[in-house]
Amino acid sequence: MVNEQEKKFQLGRRNFLKAGAGAAALGVATALKAPTIVAGAVGESVKYAPGAKGQWSKLHPVHDMGSATIRFVEHNDQWLGTSKIIGPIKNPSEYDGGFEQIAAGKVSQRGQLGLYNMNTKDPFGSAIIMGAGMVAGFLEGIPAPKKMEIPDPEQMSQHIKDVAYFLRADDVGIGRMPSYAYYGTKCIYPPFPGRQYVEFTREQLVRPVTERLPYAIVVMIDQHLETMLASTGYDAISISQSFRGYHATGVIAAIMAQYIRNLGYNARANYAVDYNGVMPPVIIAAGLGELSRTGDCTIHPRLGFRHKVAAVTTDLPLAPDKPIDFGLLDFCRVCKKCAENCPAGAINTDSDMGQYNGYLRWNNDTNKCAEFRASNEDGVCCGRCMKVCPWNSKEESWFHQAGTWIGSKSETSSKLLKSIDDMFGYGTETVDKYKWWLEWPELYKLPPVSILTEPLPPDPIFSALGKDKH
Ligand code: SF4
Ligand code: SF4
């Protein structure tokens, strides 16, 4: 049975096909021109009908935040979302990051050796890392000389969100770019040193970041629910899950940045291969999460921290979103599930947060985490904390939705959700029916110490990522 609506659609399609065939027959197919955007006419020359005021976007009129209760909060010099600012925040150096400290030889020989052998440990993982590097040369550029007029920043924001969803983002938000999220200095990875344990100084590895653009469009990709359910969180698929997110967000951000430059505005794509800043404050500013117990990862109310992001920094006129509060800090205070399950013991178990670079957070041992991920001999990398977190949705069940609704209410209800989550073994189970990838455990072991001094050929993947170039 064809209903009225389907009939109309079929008729419309038939007429369209007939018109195309007729035009071709008359040799006038070129009369059917693709629409073009011209200055001062967004919404006119392309027949673009803006969404209603207040809509998230046309493709997603309502922002999907799952079942959590969301409150919008301010972004000022005392708060970034629910993170309390207590003093000046210094622009960080990428050099102080866990993997950068490992690469620079500041943590351990085991970590550095593991990092330089990580790409050979998993045939699929190294292929997907190669994929993630493919857009590294397309992150920045010079804007078109003529600026298109943007009469309504809110309409442009809706449109930009539609662009992200059309390019297959799982979520997108727009934030005021916190100036302290920019790196003061970013890292240039060391030239490949062979398997010798080599130390590099800060001066050898850093260069300053001077960009300061007012907005950040944050593009988020889900790391894949079924894969996460089947994984232990630190087996072979872990690195591929990460780089699936890096690859997808990188491609989307690079295209969006180029689109914005084509409109005559400055835009720079930032993704895992080449960030100009740290992402957690940018995610918070864009209303896509709160800072979690892990210290430097944010949690999204629908995706937990089963996500990766890229950000397009820009001066395109936009209407930024507000940071959100869904009760995560109260939840993390009582939950501690990530800390209990971290194989490296890297996550803080204190009830209260401590100070870090001018704001409050739970301070963790990023070097311990990075060393474990680099030298893991049960798989490649790690995302165990992501897997076990109760906010990492456990299939799209009413039960999980009810749980996150309860969990976002108060500290007492957080205890309830955590107990239910534990009782059902959520997060710690591996669901074998979803396991689709192959494993070669014999490749996971670190090379024997006897080959530590042998020279190593240049790593094609690190070279492709531009990480070994000064
Ligand atoms: S990624 Fe793994 S090692 Fe690092 S904090 Fe999470 S659980 Fe711990
Ligand atoms: S596992 Fe629990 S404590 Fe850890 S980040 Fe998730 S909610 Fe917070």
Side-chain angles (χ1 to χ4, degrees), residues 40-332:
V42 175
E44 291 168 21
S45 64
V46 293
K47 306 282 186 243
Y48 175 80
K53 286 276 176 197
Q55 274 193 1
W56 186 249
S57 77
K58 292 183 80 175
L59 293 176
H60 289 264
V62 177
H63 194 191
D64 185 0
M65 286 293 197
S67 311
T69 304
I70 306 284
R71 193 167 68 88
F72 294 97
V73 289
E74 293 307 318
H75 174 175
N76 53 41
D77 56 4
Q78 292 178 2
W79 292 94
L80 176 61
T82 53
S83 296
K84 175 76 180 141
I85 298 171
I86 49 170
I89 301 178
K90 283 197 208 123
N91 293 92
S93 173
E94 192 180 23
Y95 178 84
D96 295 322
F99 271 125
E100 286 71 19
Q101 289 290 290
I102 299 265
K106 301 293 181 195
V107 178
S108 67
Q109 185 183 58
R110 179 185 172 84
Q112 198 184 47
L113 184 63
L115 189 63
Y116 291 144
N117 285 285
M118 212 155 86
N119 294 329
T120 59
K121 285 171 72 176
D122 177 43
F124 181 51
S126 66
I128 207 162
I129 291 171
M130 178 198 71
M134 283 175 177
V135 291
F138 300 94
L139 306 184
E140 51 197 14
I142 297 167
K146 184 173 162 52
K147 263 191 168 65
M148 298 305 203
E149 197 179 311
I150 310 294
D152 183 348
E154 187 184 330
Q155 181 194 328
M156 181 46 93
S157 299
Q158 289 188 340
H159 169 65
I160 282 293
K161 287 169 185 166
D162 279 326
V163 170
Y165 289 126
F166 176 71
L167 294 172
R168 294 177 180 264
D170 289 307
D171 206 350
V172 54
I174 297 169
R176 278 183 211 290
M177 179 70 186
S179 60
Y180 47 78
Y182 277 113
Y183 284 128
T185 52
K186 64 191 282 180
C187 223
I188 306 154
Y189 276 61
F192 218 79
R195 290 190 174 101
Q196 289 157 333
Y197 182 54
V198 180
E199 283 200 24
F200 296 89
T201 64
R202 185 182 292 263
E203 289 66 36
Q204 285 174 296
L205 295 186
V206 301
R207 68 177 166 80
V209 174
T210 53
E211 179 200 290
R212 292 292 181 270
L213 290 168
Y215 303 117
I217 303 158
V218 178
V219 173
M220 188 171 271
I221 285 282
D222 184 345
Q223 289 193 41
H224 201 241
L225 173 62
E226 287 82 359
T227 303
M228 188 81 267
L229 289 171
S231 166
T232 61
Y234 52 92
D235 50 27
I237 201 62
S238 180
I239 196 161
S240 303
Q241 280 187 284
S242 291
F243 276 84
R244 170 187 192 264
Y246 293 145
H247 160 253
T249 53
V251 170
I252 295 170
I255 293 170
M256 290 178 77
Q258 184 59 48
Y259 175 37
I260 294 170
R261 290 194 296 270
N262 291 348
L263 296 176
Y265 296 85
N266 289 295
R268 207 265 185 198
N270 295 268
Y271 82 117
V273 168
D274 190 350
Y275 285 123
N276 263 354
V278 279
M279 288 297 106
V282 183
I283 295 169
I284 297 169
L288 293 182
E290 285 185 74
L291 200 59
S292 74
R293 172 172 285 283
T294 59
D296 52 7
C297 291
T298 60
I299 290 188
H300 181 279
R302 174 168 54 90
L303 299 171
F305 55 97
R306 198 187 64 232
H307 60 70
K308 292 291 182 195
V309 300
V312 178
T313 44
T314 183
D315 56 9
L316 180 74
L318 293 168
D321 302 303
K322 284 193 167 178
I324 54 170
D325 173 4
F326 57 99
L328 182 67
L329 300 190
D330 281 344
F331 197 97
C332 282

Side-chain angles (χ1 to χ4, degrees), residues 342-344 346-347 369 372-373 382-385:
C342 170
I347 302 177
C369 165
F372 178 80
R373 285 196 282 166
C382 178
R384 179 77 175 164
C385 45

Side-chain angles (χ1 to χ4, degrees), residues 292-294 299 305 328 331-339 347 362 385 388-391 418:
S292 74
R293 172 172 285 283
T294 59
I299 290 188
F305 55 97
L328 182 67
F331 197 97
C332 282
R333 209 182 309 282
V334 297
C335 170
K336 305 181 185 177
K337 201 163 171 171
C338 51
I347 302 177
W362 280 285
C385 45
V388 302
C389 177
W391 292 91
K418 204 258 180 172

Side-chain angles (χ1 to χ4, degrees), residues 329-383:
L329 300 190
D330 281 344
F331 197 97
C332 282
R333 209 182 309 282
V334 297
C335 170
K336 305 181 185 177
K337 201 163 171 171
C338 51
E340 288 157 9
N341 283 277
C342 170
I347 302 177
N348 190 307
T349 54
D350 295 347
S351 291
D352 294 319
M353 288 179 268
Q355 298 187 18
Y356 175 81
N357 187 25
Y359 62 97
L360 296 184
R361 72 168 201 182
W362 280 285
N363 287 316
N364 292 297
D365 194 329
T366 51
N367 287 351
K368 266 190 189 170
C369 165
E371 185 187 42
F372 178 80
R373 285 196 282 166
S375 59
N376 173 14
E377 294 191 271
D378 291 321
V380 192
C381 227
C382 178

